[in-house]
């Protein structure tokens, strides 16, 4: 009964380093999303995907790249980490692109950039 | 563009008291409205949603919300809270463009004994 799984859960990076966050869902959902959560700012959409092989920019895409090579996986990459990217990152998936379906979230990945 | 405003960033209440968490939205089109709850160090999970029909929707854990189109509000209520309701609550609007959601900044509900 895994749902949405994110790895790693915690990571500390130095400025300029790169890393990839992995999101995996076992619900056969078409739609997947990456959000970042910062104190007092709610969740902001970074990138999203409407199906295997597709990606699109969200509200705050700068400094991030994504890939969806397999339907069940959605990867978020930071090519050159900056302190402003210190945040908690949440992956979510949905069966519906019409806006009527709920989002299923992972438990989050806490990233600190020094 | 759609936006969501949660009017209270923090709401402290005593156990067994009623609570209302306020949410207003702005949108030029029909919207779907959601409330999510986030317990410490966890992801968000759905409390309830309004898609259409009855404006009073009931969710899990005794929560309910009322959709008011004229006031563009979707306030969350619970008649009697428990310590275990302590969490952060997010109001969200979703729309038909790839199911993307816009979230409010969150309201931290703290239930005191």
């Amino acid at each position: 009964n895994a749902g949405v799984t994110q790895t790693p859960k915690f990571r500390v990076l130095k400025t300029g380093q790169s890393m990839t966050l992995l999101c995996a869902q076992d619900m056969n959902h078409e739609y997947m999303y990456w959000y970042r959560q910062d104190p007092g700012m709610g969740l902001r959409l970074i990138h999203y995907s409407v199906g295997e092989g597709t990606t699109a920019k969200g509200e705050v895409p700068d400094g991030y790249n994504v890939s969806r090579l397999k339907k069940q996986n959605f990867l978020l990459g930071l090519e050159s980490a900056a302190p402003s990217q210190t945040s908690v990152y949440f992956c979510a998936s949905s069966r519906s692109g019409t806006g009527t379906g709920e989002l299923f979230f992972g438990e989050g990945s806490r990233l600190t950039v020094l | 563009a759609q936006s969501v405003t949660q009017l209270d960033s923090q709401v402290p209440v005593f156990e067994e008291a009623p609570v209302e968490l306020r949410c207003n939205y702005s949108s030029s089109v029909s919207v779907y409205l959601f409330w999510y709850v986030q317990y410490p160090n966890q992801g968000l999970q759905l409390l309830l949603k309004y898609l259409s029909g009855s404006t009073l929707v009931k969710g899990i854990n005794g929560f309910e919300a009322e959709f008011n189109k004229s006031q563009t509000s979707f306030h969350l209520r619970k008649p009697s809270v428990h310590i275990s309701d302590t969490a952060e609550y997010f109001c969200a609007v979703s729309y038909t463009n790839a199911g993307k959601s816009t979230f409010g900044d969150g309201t931290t509900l703290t239930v005191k004994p």
Side-chain angles (χ1 to χ4, degrees), chain A residues 5-24:
Chain A
T5 303
Q6 294 181 229
T7 53
K9 288 185 169 43
F10 302 93
R11 185 75 187 269
V12 178
L13 289 178
K14 295 181 180 179
T15 296
Q17 288 185 319
S18 63
M19 75 158 295
T20 300
L21 298 178
L22 170 63
C23 176

Side-chain angles (χ1 to χ4, degrees), chain B residues 22-100:
Chain B
R22 298 179 294 167
C23 173
N24 286 96
Y25 68 93
S26 66
S27 175
S28 58
V29 297
S30 295
V31 296
Y32 306 112
L33 295 157
F34 299 76
W35 275 99
Y36 290 88
V37 59
Q38 183 182 31
Y39 298 106
N41 299 314
Q42 294 186 25
L44 283 71
Q45 55 186 277
L46 182 70
L47 265 182
L48 48 79
K49 63 183 177 182
Y50 172 79
L51 303 181
S52 64
S54 173
T55 57
L56 183 64
V57 294
K58 295 187 183 299
I60 62 171
N61 302 338
F63 283 92
E64 63 182 30
E66 185 163 15
F67 170 62
N68 188 319
K69 187 174 182 179
S70 63
Q71 297 187 4
T72 61
S73 67
F74 190 54
H75 301 335
L76 181 70
R77 302 185 181 100
K78 186 170 183 178
S80 176
V81 294
H82 303 289
I83 298 288
S84 59
D85 292 323
T86 294
E88 189 154 19
Y89 293 79
F90 291 94
C91 182
V93 169
S94 71
Y95 45 110
T96 58
N97 183 3
K100 294 183 290 181

Side-chain angles (χ1 to χ4, degrees), chain A residues 33 35 37 40 90 97-99 103 106, chain B residues 36 38 43 90 94 96 98-99 105:
Chain A
Y33 313 85
Y35 287 90
Q37 183 181 27
F90 286 98
T98 63
L103 295 176
Chain B
Y36 290 88
Q38 183 182 31
F90 291 94
S94 71
T96 58
D105 290 345

Side-chain angles (χ1 to χ4, degrees), chain A residues 6 17 21 26 36 48 62 79-81 91-92 96 99 102-103:
Chain A
Q6 294 181 229
Q17 288 185 319
L21 298 178
D26 61 2
R36 60 177 289 174
Y48 64 100
D62 294 342
E79 291 185 348
S80 179
C91 177
S96 170
E102 70 178 275
L103 295 176

